[in-house]
Amino acid sequence: MKKILLSLAIAAVPYFGFAQDEEEAPKEGWSKAGNVSLLFSQSAFNAEWQGGGTTNYSVNLTGSYDANYKKGRVAWDNRLMVDYGITNQRNQEFSKKTNDRLEFNSIVGKQLSDTSKWYYSFFFNFRSQIASGYVFGEDADGNETRTETTKFLSPGYFQAGPGMLWKDSDNLKVNIAPATARLIVVDSQFTEVDANDAVALAAYEPYFGVDANESTRFEFGASIGAYGKFTLLENVSMENVLNLYSNYLEDPQNVDIDYTMNLVMTVNKWITANTTFQAIYDDNAVQGFQIREALAIGLTYGF
């Protein structure tokens, strides 16, 4: 099944550009753009309400910023993405995260020729989260409890490597890096085990692939990164981001997959409806697909 999904994902990359709008040739120098969206939802019920329901609120803040540079045959693309959301229900002691993403991508390339869409490239990627993540439960008295399981830079992923970039425009590009170094960083509090306790060591399960009493894991493999953004209808755009990674040093057949689709429906300059779908497969984290979906209407500011 995983091989089928991987094949479909790679085959779908060229489709990203089929519905693109025609674009002018990129200008020399810097081109910068960003947007910030605040999405809010709330429901309230008084004590006499008989239809069922729980008073709650949720807030989600998303933002992205692109800074791209071009001079002659040299291109340098940078993108920062932030996504954070929380929700709270009445009578719950703790708020809960709905989204949490922090990612930075940078890729520099030199065009093979003035007319070629291929570039020699070098890329860097950083990915983590903003706030701590928890597993929630109850104590013997029925009070809500929480246990910290993740935090900023735990895990943190750093990837870099040379490769070849195919770039049709800022809205359609694929980077192939067959020699990618990846460093996974975690807080040692999540991997700490008594080295003299054989039972505890045997029971320890690697934390995002990191062994007991370690705080880093080094991997070396191949990666593919694809980005496609196109217009479906007037005021409706779709953004696709696909990242694949195979670790040569351990189980290279287990390809990590990270696919995100953002569908943006613009009502006017300030109001948009956003739909996000994300699917992740990383067997160092969990044996299965992680799925995230969100739909919201809110305020957007572009700059």
Side-chain angles (χ1 to χ4, degrees), residues 57-128:
Y57 74 85
S58 64
V59 179
N60 196 88
L61 178 68
T62 64
S64 65
Y65 185 74
D66 294 273
N68 299 332
Y69 178 79
K70 180 173 176 59
K71 184 175 182 179
R73 288 160 52 189
V74 175
W76 182 22
D77 296 347
N78 301 277
R79 188 170 216 227
L80 175 66
M81 293 171 286
V82 179
D83 191 347
Y84 184 74
I86 59 172
T87 185
N88 185 270
Q89 294 186 2
R90 184 173 59 187
N91 299 326
Q92 282 189 338
E93 184 174 354
F94 304 108
S95 297
K96 295 179 173 63
K97 291 196 300 185
T98 55
N99 289 316
D100 193 354
R101 179 188 187 190
L102 177 63
E103 184 168 354
F104 174 73
N105 291 290
S106 182
I107 182 168
V108 61
K110 183 174 183 180
Q111 199 172 11
L112 271 65
S113 68
D114 291 337
T115 58
S116 177
K117 294 184 179 181
W118 284 97
Y119 295 71
Y120 300 111
S121 67
F122 188 89
F123 87 100
F124 171 79
N125 170 266
F126 164 71
R127 179 163 51 93
S128 187

Side-chain angles (χ1 to χ4, degrees), residues 151-214:
K151 61 195 304 184
F152 176 65
L153 283 182
S154 191
Y157 296 90
F158 298 85
Q159 287 188 180
M164 294 294 295
L165 169 68
W166 182 87
K167 182 177 180 180
D168 183 69
S169 69
D170 286 344
N171 289 335
L172 181 62
K173 47 195 171 184
V174 179
N175 187 65
I176 303 170
T180 297
R182 177 158 81 162
L183 183 67
I184 303 173
V185 178
V186 302
D187 193 309
S188 58
Q189 74 178 78
F190 299 113
T191 64
E192 186 176 1
V193 178
D194 186 350
N196 297 317
D197 189 337
V199 175
L201 285 172
Y204 175 83
E205 295 185 3
Y207 177 75
F208 291 94
V210 179
D211 293 332
N213 298 315
E214 300 290 340

Side-chain angles (χ1 to χ4, degrees), residues 20-41:
Q20 284 194 117
D21 293 332
E22 293 185 2
E23 297 184 359
E24 298 179 357
K27 298 179 180 180
E28 295 278 302
W30 285 100
S31 60
K32 302 176 183 179
N35 67 77
V36 176
S37 298
L38 179 63
L39 312 175
F40 177 79
S41 65

Side-chain angles (χ1 to χ4, degrees), residues 12-20 172 226-230 240-242 259:
V13 170
Y15 174 75
F16 285 169
F18 286 178
Q20 284 194 117
L172 181 62
Y227 177 83
K229 181 179 180 180
F230 58 91
N240 298 270
V241 183
L242 174 66
Y259 169 72

